[in-house]
Amino acid sequence: RIEPHVIPSILHVARDYGGREPWPIVIEGVDGVTREVDLKPGEMLLYESAKCTHGRPRSFRGNWYTSLFIHYRPVGWKIDREKMLAGVPVKWNKPLPPSKVRLRVRTTIKKHQYN
């Protein structure tokens, strides 16, 4: 959904992979570079979902995974699905050369304890 989902954030709470592989979110940036982000508990990710293709293409193989999702949009946001699709480059579905694909980018926020 384009209108309410301009800038989402994912706050990762906890997980149990059960000793199995991580379950990263995969994001293709506006620069065409694909990144995998494996959030640790307490980390938050902000990204432009209206412009960046994103998802979890692999099946979850662990026991459980808990995150909070919050979506933002600028006041006066006027771009709808049709306007957004008009801005997609013609060659959007062409595979990227290996030199453009990078993996494992992680951003950390400080953890705060509230009394």
Side-chain angles (χ1 to χ4, degrees):
R1 296 182 44 187
I2 302 304
E3 295 82 5
H5 297 158
V6 178
I7 303 174
S9 63
I10 302 173
L11 174 60
H12 185 51
V13 178
R15 67 190 178 194
D16 178 5
Y17 286 144
R20 296 176 193 94
E21 65 186 42
W23 194 46
I25 184 167
V26 179
I27 302 171
E28 181 182 341
V30 294
D31 58 359
V33 176
T34 301
R35 295 173 176 88
E36 290 190 3
V37 182
D38 179 27
L39 294 169
K40 306 296 185 265
E43 292 181 337
M44 178 181 275
L45 173 69
L46 293 168
Y47 60 99
E48 289 187 84
S49 66
K51 293 182 181 179
C52 301
T53 303
H54 61 283
R56 296 185 191 266
R58 294 189 284 271
S59 298
F60 180 65
R61 307 232 188 266
N63 296 321
W64 52 269
Y65 194 94
T66 306
S67 292
L68 300 173
F69 297 86
I70 304 165
H71 297 93
Y72 306 92
R73 70 174 171 186
V75 173
W77 181 254
K78 302 289 185 206
I79 296 177
D80 60 14
R81 182 174 174 75
E82 288 74 29
K83 289 178 185 172
M84 189 277 305
L85 290 175
V88 174
V90 176
K91 298 180 182 181
W92 70 271
N93 61 348
K94 301 273 184 197
L96 291 172
S99 63
K100 291 282 189 177
V101 179
R102 295 184 193 145
L103 304 175
R104 309 287 261 174
V105 174
R106 185 172 74 208
T107 304
T108 305
I109 61 169
K110 290 185 177 182
K111 295 179 183 179
H112 296 281
Q113 184 174 0
Y114 298 96
N115 296 325

